[in-house]
Amino acid sequence: MTNGLAGIVAGQTSISSTNNGHLIYAGYSIEQLAKMQPNFETTMFLLWHLRLPQETELTGLRQQLTRNMVLPANYSILLKQFCRAPVPPMSQLRTAVSLLEMVSPVALTPEAIQAKVLVVITTIIRLHRGQSILTPLARADYATNLLYLATGKKPQPRQQLIENQVLLVHADHEFNASTFTARVTASTATDTYSCLTAAIAALKGPLHGGANEQVGLMLEELTTNKRPTVLYLKEKLEQGKKIMGFGHRIYKKSDPREKLLKKYAKELARRTNHLDWYQTSIEIERYMWAQKHLIPNVDFYSATIYHCLGFKADEFTLLFAASRCAGWLAHIKEQRQQETLIRPSSEYIGPRHLQMMTYEANQQAK
């Protein structure tokens, strides 16, 4: 027995692997894919079909995504209404995805679902900011539409490339908490919307996807209030509080995703005059290694990148979901193909009453 199923192999997958500290998507390391500088459509196709797409297939996928970046009018009205509620954006996303089944009960393709989740996410961001909802760009890739629909600004070529890389590294991570939740739900043969709703509920937690929001809030407090970084960290650790963005269940020496994001965080910080965020991040990283021997994970430098792209801390996990949705859809499909209900056993460690002990003794005597 191990806490949190650490080290336990809970199933088989052909989608991704983290063996030996490397993140692999269907046989390709994220470093290989990053060098190719693919758009996110390539990553989606790879996760869904376990091979890289032909050019015609890539074009077709992009067209399907763009065609489905629209929400039913009655759904948009409902979305506007409940987005007024004073709850976190991730709670709104969880409910919004569940609501999709009410207006589109017919099973949609992965392309259609991915596109609609993107529009839901960017609509929540716009409504959260009190801004008008925008129409997708007809001839733009997924990353460009994500940035445009959320911020109202068409990204520069370099921003577009960096966002595609950010989406790449967040797309999948074998049996992480939200993906495993999606697979457990899918194993019951329920619908895709239910699987995604469950996955989003898991991603929302601060020990999973919600960690990047906490990193953003920490950096915002340090840079805005000009607080000494070391004193801040020392105080938090003495209070027994976690410093989000550090440590990982699998990666002990380095997180391959963090390596890719760190250089882009520095570049964007310089381009957008937010070097204070990057420099503060470096101070935090050095202190956490010196004091705790903890490494930064994917959440740490992604916070600086999202900030430099114009997002607020409570929007960071929404962006995570816009990417991870592709991985969830791949795992939901794979789990259904396995046709196996995920139902582990447990070890009972609760109280043992005399009546129960007598029953067990009688059973053994027989």
Side-chain angles (χ1 to χ4, degrees), residues 44-199:
M44 286 183 216
F45 192 97
L46 176 62
L47 294 173
W48 294 345
H49 301 283
L50 307 181
R51 63 177 178 84
L52 293 173
Q54 300 293 327
E55 191 61 37
T56 54
E57 293 173 319
L58 194 58
T59 300
L61 174 55
R62 181 174 295 171
Q63 290 173 345
Q64 291 180 63
L65 288 167
T66 304
R67 191 182 307 123
N68 283 283
M69 286 182 187
V70 60
L71 299 173
N74 57 337
Y75 176 89
S76 296
I77 292 172
L78 291 171
L79 190 58
K80 289 178 181 178
Q81 290 177 341
F82 76 73
C83 276
R84 294 173 185 157
V87 297
M90 279 298 291
S91 294
Q92 294 173 351
L93 177 63
R94 178 201 59 218
T95 303
V97 170
S98 177
L99 186 65
L100 277 174
E101 184 182 11
M102 305 297 290
V103 296
S104 183
V106 178
L108 297 177
T109 64
E111 296 85 357
I113 293 175
Q114 183 79 37
K116 293 193 184 305
V117 168
L118 168 65
V119 179
V120 169
I121 287 171
T122 54
T123 298
I124 289 173
I125 290 174
R126 298 292 291 182
L127 293 174
H128 186 241
R129 296 180 177 187
Q131 298 172 333
S132 59
I133 301 171
L134 301 173
T135 302
L137 301 172
R139 297 184 179 180
D141 67 359
Y142 186 90
T144 297
N145 263 318
L146 171 59
L147 294 176
Y148 171 72
L149 291 173
T151 68
K153 300 176 182 178
K154 294 181 181 179
Q156 299 297 319
R158 194 63 186 170
Q159 291 175 318
Q160 178 192 23
L161 182 148
I162 292 174
E163 178 57 21
N164 270 301
Q165 298 279 36
V166 174
L167 289 168
L168 163 67
V169 302
H170 282 95
D172 199 49
H173 203 243
E174 45 112 321
F175 285 11
N176 61 86
S178 57
T179 298
F180 192 62
T181 299
R183 291 192 71 122
V184 170
T185 310
S187 78
T188 70
T190 190
D191 62 280
T192 301
Y193 296 116
S194 293
C195 299
L196 292 178
T197 301

Side-chain angles (χ1 to χ4, degrees), residues 13-17 23-28 30 33 40-53 61 110 114 167-174 179 183 322-334 337:
T13 180
S14 299
I15 299 168
S16 65
S17 167
L23 179 54
I24 308 293
Y25 292 168
Y28 294 89
I30 59 169
L33 294 169
F40 190 54
E41 287 82 345
T42 300
T43 305
M44 286 183 216
F45 192 97
L46 176 62
L47 294 173
W48 294 345
H49 301 283
L50 307 181
R51 63 177 178 84
L52 293 173
L61 174 55
Q114 183 79 37
L167 289 168
L168 163 67
V169 302
H170 282 95
D172 199 49
H173 203 243
E174 45 112 321
T179 298
R183 291 192 71 122
S323 173
R324 186 55 61 85
C325 182
W328 292 333
L329 289 169
H331 282 273
I332 291 168
K333 175 185 175 182
E334 185 179 61
Q337 291 172 339

